[in-house]
């Protein structure tokens, strides 16, 4: 292994910085639709918490199933939350990340609940069905790609 001259920038960091691109809203939405797993970030017990959920893009929002607990409590409070989805290829060091910021809410309209039953979100945790739905309004969508 060769020792790098301290005056030279880190070649990895430099490479990553030069290859980052900003994604437009429509590209972000298409990427979000392409994967079933994301992470919701919210406040719980006076601290930030990030949890994985399987979800769908529905009517301009993120929707996912849950049980009574921290995610539903955040939604019931109308918290502003973030939702992150990404994909990467470690071999060629490419990937993308999309962050959605918006207000969470519990879905309680019976007609909308009926529609959501047909979007294809099935809980991965098979031992307990998740009958409740949370919606995250997509107030802000940003994305970056690493080419």
């Amino acid at each position: 292994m060769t020792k790098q001259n301290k005056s030279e920038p880190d070649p990895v960091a430099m490479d990553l910085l030069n290859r980052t691109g900003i994604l437009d809203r429509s590209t972000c939405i298409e990427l979000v639709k392409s994967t079933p797993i994301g992470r919701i970030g919210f406040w719980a017990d006076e601290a930030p918490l990030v949890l994985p959920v399987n979800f769908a893009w529905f009517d301009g929002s993120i929707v996912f199933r849950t049980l009574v607990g921290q995610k539903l409590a955040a939604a019931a409070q109308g918290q502003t939350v973030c939702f992150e989805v990404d994909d990467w290829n470690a071999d060629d060091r490419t990937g993308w990340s999309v962050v959605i910021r918006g207000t969470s809410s519990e879905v309680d309209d019976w007609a909308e609940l009926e529609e959501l039953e047909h979007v294809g979100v099935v809980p991965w945790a098979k031992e307990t069905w998740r009958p409740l739905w949370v919606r995250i309004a997509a107030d802000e969508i940003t994305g970056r790609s690493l080419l």
Side-chain angles (χ1 to χ4, degrees):
M1 182 175 207
T2 62
K3 187 172 181 179
Q4 184 178 344
N5 180 339
K6 290 187 180 197
S7 65
E8 293 178 36
D10 177 9
V12 173
M14 192 65 153
D15 187 39
L16 294 177
L17 289 173
N18 288 334
R19 297 178 4 190
T20 301
I22 297 174
L23 302 172
D24 64 35
R25 183 180 176 94
S26 62
T27 301
C28 288
I29 291 169
E30 289 308 309
L31 290 170
V32 165
K33 290 178 181 180
S34 74
T35 185
I37 299 293
R39 286 163 292 286
I40 181 172
F42 59 99
W43 285 93
D45 299 324
E46 299 182 26
L49 181 61
V50 177
L51 296 173
V53 295
N54 58 315
F55 73 97
W57 178 261
F58 175 77
D59 196 25
S61 298
I62 295 293
V63 293
F64 63 91
R65 293 177 175 276
T66 193
L67 295 169
V68 171
Q70 292 173 314
K71 292 180 291 239
L72 187 64
Q77 295 168 7
Q79 273 193 31
T80 297
V81 301
C82 64
F83 193 84
E84 193 267 347
V85 180
D86 58 33
D87 190 37
W88 67 92
N89 181 315
D91 293 332
D92 62 10
R93 300 174 80 154
T94 60
W96 54 266
S97 176
V98 173
V99 174
I100 297 170
R101 288 186 192 94
T103 305
S104 61
S105 60
E106 181 179 1
V107 178
D108 56 10
D109 177 77
W110 69 267
E112 185 175 2
L113 289 168
E114 183 62 30
E115 284 184 85
L116 290 174
E117 290 301 325
H118 303 285
V119 299
V121 176
V122 176
W124 283 28
K126 296 177 182 164
E127 67 276 358
T128 307
W129 186 251
R130 282 147 171 74
L132 306 170
W133 287 89
V134 170
R135 168 188 290 278
I136 300 170
D139 298 333
E140 181 183 355
I141 302 176
T142 59
R144 301 216 184 271
S145 64
L146 182 62
L147 309 172

